[in-house]
Amino acid sequence: MDLLHDAHALAPVLTALRHSLHREPELGLDLPLTQAKVIAALDGLGLEITPGRALSSVTAVLRGGHPGPALPRGGHPGQAAPRGGPTRPAVLLRGDMDALPVQEDTGVPYASVVDGRMHACGHDLHTAGLVGAAHLLAARREQLAGDVVFMFQPGEEGQGGAKIMIDEGVLDAAGERVVAAYALHVVSRGAPTGYAATRPGPMLAASDTVHVTVRGEGGHGSSPHAAVDPVPALCAMVTALQTLVTREIDIFDPAVVTVGRLEAGTAPNVIPESGRFSATVRTFSEASRATVRAAFERTVHGLAAAHGVRADIDYVHQYPPTVNHDGEAAFALDAARDVLGEDRVLPAPTPMAGSEDFSFVLREVPGAFLGLGACPVGTDPATAPMNHSPQAVYDDGALPHAAALLAGLALRRLALTAQE
């Protein structure tokens, strides 16, 4: 609990940083202002800082001072060390930094000053919380039985920034591949400030986007027999896709197919030549993901043939499912109880259908992804505006909890490695 005590002492600094980030949100992979603010906030901590090449990321390495275990190069305990000598274990902590193309409608005094951009998903808290963890761990450098990699990541909201940072070597930034990786995500709805949860196995869903264009032959609305109308085909496809989920997908390995966009035509008396719809697909395993794709494509092409139209499908795999490693999820729950208090931590009963590109990290190394409540005091967590809403408000009081939790995960994971 001393971590949480010290994190509360950092609260004014972390809150000022979070408000600065919130006022000037940036989108995508290019976040120069955000990058500069993070580097300035890490100044004086003695970190090895490397800016990204293909994106405005920040990778910072803290070298621990405790004489922890030496791993042979290659990272396999018990293996004879090749020339170059042994290395030390490292743990990675991730914080994403990008905002969303949302017009803010919160009325908070630190609201976005950039039209059409808002930290509606709480990434400003993730960034400030990770800076806080760096401060807490730098003050405990001599207790660290290894090194810590701080991954400040752009482009989580659909651009796959984590994958790019992995390609640029973030997992090996300390010298060898990290032994574990952790990240958290705040929620503005569903949990009071400072309450954490995670679970073994799937924590978040895979996210795929599908664009379908249906092509017929245009004509006059009074003479549909003289045209090939794509509109009935579009409607049949949307309806059939809902049936597909209920009849072909195992309810214990669920899927969500939501058609969020449907468009066709220009006038009531004109049969359009083409129409289109776009859908999001969420699944929790690679097996279910493959099943849904095959069924989706079969359904669309079959109905196109039945209606005498043609269908083009652009099926885009975005993020894989975020799957916590069983042992790391159990460890994360125990560490969170130590840091936040026994009554503030619980196993998540089910996965969430949101998605995260931290999934790319967890495909490479063991680790866990946690949720952290940030619903403001006096707001009902059951009805508060949720993440991505223009009215979403996150409690600054979650910042010390985020910083202490991340720092505690790194400290305890390195200590555990030292005992193995």
Side-chain angles (χ1 to χ4, degrees):
M1 299 294 286
D2 63 321
L3 275 171
L4 190 56
H5 176 272
D6 291 354
H8 279 294
L10 288 171
V13 173
L14 301 183
T15 299
L17 173 60
R18 185 250 164 156
H19 288 185
S20 176
L21 295 169
H22 195 93
R23 286 190 189 96
E24 298 181 293
E26 296 177 295
L27 305 180
L29 300 172
D30 188 21
L31 318 177
L33 286 175
T34 303
Q35 183 188 54
K37 291 174 184 179
V38 167
I39 292 174
L42 300 176
D43 187 45
L45 298 183
L47 308 181
E48 300 168 11
I49 295 177
T50 305
R53 298 186 298 276
L55 71 176
S56 300
S57 61
V58 178
T59 300
V61 178
L62 172 63
R63 301 293 181 182
H66 190 277
L71 297 180
R73 288 193 181 276
H76 303 292
Q79 172 187 325
R83 188 174 1 182
T87 61
R88 290 157 53 84
V91 167
L92 181 142
L93 304 175
R94 197 286 307 255
D96 41 357
M97 305 191 295
D98 54 323
L100 283 162
V102 172
Q103 183 64 44
E104 182 159 359
D105 184 26
T106 62
V108 297
Y110 51 88
S112 171
V113 299
V114 183
D115 285 343
R117 297 182 183 180
M118 176 190 174
H119 270 293
C121 203
H123 294 187
D124 49 339
L125 280 83
H126 302 168
T127 303
L130 188 55
V131 166
H135 279 259
L136 293 171
L137 291 172
R140 292 164 172 78
R141 186 188 308 267
E142 298 308 313
Q143 300 175 33
L144 284 171
D147 305 325
V148 182
V149 178
F150 300 95
M151 177 183 177
F152 292 91
Q153 180 212 312
E156 191 281 322
E157 295 288 354
Q159 294 80 27
K163 181 70 165 57
I164 299 172
M165 290 190 71
I166 291 170
D167 292 342
E168 291 194 351
V170 68
L171 300 182
D172 308 298
E176 290 289 337
R177 182 131 301 195
V178 296
V179 298
Y182 305 101
L184 59 79
H185 205 300
V186 294
V187 291
S188 60
R189 178 177 182 172
T193 292
Y195 283 74
T198 192
R199 68 190 309 274
M203 182 68 179
L204 293 164
S207 174
D208 300 320
T209 297
V210 194
H211 304 286
V212 177
T213 300
V214 177
R215 306 182 190 282
E217 296 177 12
H220 199 287
S222 66
S223 304
H225 63 283
V228 180
D229 193 346
V231 175
L234 283 168
C235 296
M237 290 172 187
V238 172
T239 302
L241 288 173
Q242 309 310 309
T243 305
L244 176 159
V245 171
T246 66
R247 288 295 174 268
E248 297 199 35
I249 304 303
D250 184 347
I251 62 170
F252 297 107
D253 188 9
V256 175
V257 177
T258 295
V259 176
R261 183 178 183 188
L262 176 66
E263 56 180 315
T266 57
N269 63 342
V270 175
I271 293 174
E273 186 174 58
S274 64
R276 59 196 59 84
F277 69 89
S278 298
T280 184
V281 178
R282 305 298 170 109
T283 50
F284 295 93
S285 72
E286 291 298 341
S288 179
R289 196 180 196 188
T291 298
V292 172
R293 176 168 185 166
F296 191 111
E297 292 176 340
R298 185 190 71 243
T299 298
V300 167
H301 285 307
L303 284 167
H307 284 264
V309 298
R310 303 181 309 279
D312 299 324
I313 303 174
D314 181 17
Y315 205 110
V316 182
H317 283 299
Q318 292 185 308
Y319 295 166
T322 303
V323 181
N324 288 338
H325 295 241
D326 290 357
E328 295 295 344
F331 162 78
L333 284 169
D334 287 341
R337 292 185 185 103
D338 287 343
V339 173
L340 303 178
E342 183 75 29
D343 61 337
R344 287 179 168 265
V345 180
L346 67 157
T350 61
M352 296 181 290
S355 62
E356 244 288 346
D357 76 347
F358 192 65
S359 53
F360 290 112
V361 175
L362 294 181
R363 289 206 303 185
E364 300 290 331
V365 297
F369 187 83
L370 303 91
L372 181 68
C375 183
V377 176
T379 302
D380 184 354
T383 59
M386 66 189 302
N387 292 39
H388 287 217
S389 165
Q391 293 85 33
V393 176
Y394 300 86
D395 188 1
D396 290 329
L399 290 169
H401 297 90
L405 178 54
L406 289 168
L409 288 165
L411 269 169
R412 286 160 174 77
R413 187 61 177 83
L414 290 173
L416 181 64
T417 301
Q419 298 168 10
E420 293 175 347

